[in-house]
Structure formats: C-alpha cells, structure tokens
Amino acid sequence: MDLGIAGRRAVVCASSQGLGRACAEALAAEGVNVVVNGRDRGRLEQTSAELRSVCGVEVVGVAADITTAAGRTELLGACPAPDILVTNNAGPKPGGLFDVTDDELSQALVGHYLAPLALVRAVVPGMRQRRFGRIVNITSAMVTTPNSFMAASSGARTALTAVMKGLSKEVVGDNVTINQLQPERIDTGRQLQMAKLDMERNQITFEEARARQVASIPAQRLGQPEEFAAACAFLCSRLRQLYLRNQFAPRRRQLPGPHLTHPLAGNACENGYAPSCEGDHAGSGHESIVDHADHATASATANPLFVRASAYYGTCRRASASASMS
C-alpha cells in the first residue's frame, strides 16, 4: 500500500529507541524525510545512520530535551515546517496517587502535556496554511483504561487527549488531522521496566512477571513495535478514499496492539478500532473499520475495511522526490 507521503517531512520525538524509533522507521520506509530526537547522542547517531542506510531518505538527528523550551526550539530548528509531527516521551514514573510526589506529577505534566502542546502550537499554524498536516500523539492505554498504579501517566495524558479533541475540530477543515495512539502491551523497554516493578511488588521472578504480561493478552503474545508503528504511518497517510469512523463501544481486550483514538469520534477508541480520520482521509463517505488488533469485539458496518497493524511496511520505498528538511 502506497500511503502517498513520500517526500514529506516528519519530526518524531523521543525516537532514538522504542516506539518512537519504530514510528520514525515506518515513516522513513514510506519515503518520508525524518528528524529523529533523543537525549543520548551516541544512540541517536546510530539510529540516524541506520535509517539513512536502510531507507535512503534524509535523516537528521537532534539531541535535545523536548521538556525544555530550548530543546524544542532546537528540534524544530532542524525542520521548521514539518508535514508530520509525532509526539512522544519517556513514560512517567509508575505509582499510585499516594506514592508519587508532587515533583513527579509535575514532571509528568511537563513531559506529557505541556511539551507536546507547545510543539503542536508551534507547527499547526503552518500546517493549516499549507493545507496538510498529520499529528500523532503517542500516549497510553491509561487514558481510556486507567490503572491506579499509573496515576501520573493517566492524568497528564488524559489532559492532552482532551485538548487535542477540541483542537482537532478546529483544524480538520484545513486538512490537518490529529490522532492519539494508546499503547499498552508493546514489547519495549517500558514493559521491561513494568516487569521489574511487578517483581518487586509481588515478590516474583522476572520470568514470572513477563509471563504475567503475556497472560493478560488472549493472543498470548506482546505486540511488536513495528506493528504499532504501522498504525502510526497509516494515520499519517493522505489516502483520500477512506472515511474512518468509530462507532464501537469498549469491549474486552483480544489481541495486542495500540489503542487508537481520534478526537473527532466522540468517545476514545478503547476497543482498538480507528475512529473518524477526517481531512485527507475523508473522501468516499463510506463507513469503514480499521482493526488495529487490540480489542476484537465489534459490530459490523457497511463496507468494512480491515487493516491489520501487523502489515508492517518492511520494504523501504525510496522516494523519487526528496523534500528539503529546512
């Protein structure tokens, strides 16, 4: 599937490893020129070199802390007019409301509410003027399925989702779409961190903690970063023939993968089906379903379209047209 974004420019935050890197790679595989970001300069340089080598696109690495105004300025200085913005950051410290400190709550708000809002405010006016923009916020399943042990994550990320819902209604008429991806059981360093915490809290072995993670998913496996990233790349596409609309109630989790929400859909898409992707995704008027394999119970709609997130774009499409990053 050609997503029609070859030659576009993307800024992907916190993308030297984990889900951010996977999203940068999926976009680069579609011919998108990417700015990758992280605080570890060595890891960032390695990621940049690997993406250039494999995907043949322009890749710029920016070592910067996006929780600071100076870091965000440096990041956007490498690509002042991005077509695509993927916000992401390291997960807040786990803990219940009576366990986390005021400083830890403040850090979560800065990293997962204030910082992404600042980036969105910086890029949206240009996207609207150019009449193309794709914003994907990597948040967490804790937005729609809160866990008492993840108080900082639930609070900050839910606040971001609410603001993005309102903004999406204002900008979609200018072909700027805003989506949230809400991962949970994706096999990254975050899940290793959670397994180690489970060991400490419940006095079990690491192997037992990992087995408990897998056992929580009926598919009996964790999702893979490239599966999550395929959903991100799809939401950044310019496929005009699709009109995606969420009309499902939350159901029991069936398969691993990202939750998706689109603020225009009304309710958060806890069942893992993509809601309305308007703007460039609205064209045919057909009601379709995008199944991203997290919650598989759903009712039928007219003209259903099932796009599995596991259909990862592994073969890099070398863009014949290359856009400048400046």
Side-chain angles (χ1 to χ4, degrees), residues 286-298:
H286 295 149
E287 294 180 354
S288 301
I289 309 167
V290 178
D291 176 9
H292 286 286
D294 195 84
H295 301 276
T297 304

Side-chain angles (χ1 to χ4, degrees), residues 141-160:
M142 297 302 101
V143 172
T144 54
T145 54
N147 184 317
S148 63
F149 187 62
M150 303 295 287
S153 177
S154 294
R157 286 163 158 164
T158 301
L160 175 66

Side-chain angles (χ1 to χ4, degrees), residues 300-312:
T301 64
N303 236 356
L305 169 70
F306 294 92
V307 180
R308 291 286 174 184
S310 57
Y312 176 57

